[in-house]
Amino acid sequence: MPELPEVEVVRRGLARWVRGRTVTGVEVLDPRSIRRHALGTEDFIGNLEGATVLDVVRRGKFLWMPLSMAGSDTALPGTALMAHLGMSGQLLMQDPQVPDEKHLKVRIRLSASDGMPGQLRFVDQRIFGGLFVTSLIPTPDGGPGGLGETPLPEIAEEAAHIARDPLDPNFSFDEFYRKVKARRTGLKRALLDQSVISGIGNIYADEALWKARLHYARPTEKLRRGDAERVIEAARDVMNAALAAGGTSFDSLYVNVNGDSGTAQNNLNVYGREGRPCKRCGTLIVRERFMNRSSHVCLVCQRKRSSKTR
């Protein structure tokens, strides 16, 4: 499942190619990929054709494109095209002459613009993702709805409950610390709770906890402020490094809008390194069962009980 860096790579790529362009045509090749649009294919197409993409916005792992109709420069009271990538969804910019991808589900034609690719294609092998048109609502905190080139005061309705992520300029550490202390759970569970902090999935939680020297089961109600600050800084570091590498790609299903895979998986310190030596102390990394998946941890660097960092 794509995590924050992967979705942000896609967002940045899309913003470059689609912002300010008008939708001239929509073709739904597989209605299953717009199943979340309750009013069906004709309404989906009708909402998009003639609309201009104002920006590409992200909150955590949620991605959407605010839309405006002809003669308007605002999305209020507005709509947006929401993209849910799922496990294998891809948003690709392609020239019309490029042959259709095997798992192409939706084709969106865009107005011509300085030789830019003319089509936005949604490709999805496993059909867990999809596209749908949604409403924009005022943000609960009154600030920008999410990360975009031009911060808008609205947010996609489905993302309104999602907390800000560590890379968001409006992220509040105090709010995060208050929520995490109130959770009374293990630290990694809190990091994966999108109502506490967004964008952090299994890979980057393991990486951030290793970098911060904190065990994934550390009780949140006993978490010291300094430890919480350390794990947030670690999360920022590992996700910024992943962004610089184009995201993490363990297979060909995650690609950016140009179809290229990321390389961040080549520099992971703990995730997926079970039985290999810790890069910091040499102890073998272990993989433990966690929430129907796994946690990778160094039991020397990341002790279960509170201890001073070495």
Side-chain angles (χ1 to χ4, degrees), residues 43-277:
D43 186 80
F44 176 80
I45 294 173
N47 274 281
L48 293 181
E49 289 186 340
T52 298
V53 179
L54 295 177
D55 202 353
V56 183
V57 182
R58 177 185 61 75
R59 170 68 74 92
K61 293 180 279 187
F62 284 72
L63 187 72
W64 67 93
M65 291 168 251
L67 305 171
S68 70
M69 298 307 292
S72 173
D73 59 358
T74 177
L76 276 179
T79 58
L81 174 62
M82 176 73 81
H84 178 62
L85 299 180
M87 295 184 69
S88 61
Q90 300 172 350
L91 289 165
L92 303 176
M93 295 299 304
Q94 297 285 27
D95 288 316
Q97 64 269 25
V98 174
D100 289 352
E101 293 77 8
K102 180 178 180 181
H103 301 288
L104 177 62
K105 305 302 180 185
V106 180
R107 185 197 326 274
I108 299 175
R109 296 182 176 88
L110 300 167
S111 56
S113 179
D114 297 327
M116 291 184 178
Q119 296 184 2
L120 171 60
R121 299 179 181 181
F122 181 71
V123 178
D124 193 3
Q125 177 177 329
R126 298 176 181 170
I127 321 181
F128 291 153
L131 304 177
F132 58 97
V133 176
T134 188
S135 298
L136 294 174
I137 62 174
T139 52
D141 59 10
L147 289 181
E149 306 303 314
T150 306
L152 300 171
E154 307 83 40
I155 189 168
E157 190 171 9
E158 289 77 10
H161 68 289
I162 300 296
R164 295 186 183 273
D165 65 69
L167 302 186
D168 191 320
N170 293 287
F171 174 81
S172 168
F173 173 79
D174 289 338
E175 179 71 6
F176 163 75
Y177 189 56
R178 181 188 65 78
K179 288 180 177 179
V180 82
K181 289 280 284 187
R183 284 284 281 112
R184 301 185 66 84
T185 186
L187 180 53
K188 183 174 177 179
R189 284 179 180 268
L191 292 176
L192 296 179
D193 186 337
Q194 302 296 291
S195 68
V196 174
I197 186 170
S198 67
I200 302 178
N202 206 40
I203 296 173
Y204 297 113
D206 281 0
E207 291 293 303
L209 289 166
W210 179 86
K211 186 175 180 63
R213 297 176 181 257
L214 295 169
H215 193 277
Y216 66 86
R218 178 74 64 90
T220 55
E221 67 271 21
K222 297 180 181 179
L223 189 67
R224 296 172 295 186
R225 187 178 182 89
D227 290 337
E229 290 174 342
R230 200 163 72 250
V231 78
I232 291 300
E233 285 306 311
R236 288 193 180 111
D237 288 346
V238 299
M239 289 194 288
N240 276 321
L243 269 173
T248 297
S249 301
F250 285 113
D251 55 35
S252 61
L253 295 181
Y254 162 70
V255 294
N256 64 23
V257 296
N258 296 322
D260 297 328
S261 297
T263 60
Q265 67 278 4
N266 299 331
N267 299 308
L268 296 175
N269 288 304
V270 63
Y271 184 86
R273 300 189 72 249
E274 175 190 8
R276 300 172 66 184

Side-chain angles (χ1 to χ4, degrees), residues 276-291:
R276 300 172 66 184
C278 172
K279 295 181 181 181
R280 195 160 45 207
C281 73
T283 304
L284 297 185
I285 300 296
V286 300
R287 178 171 62 90
E288 298 183 346
R289 292 181 61 83
F290 174 81
M291 293 176 61

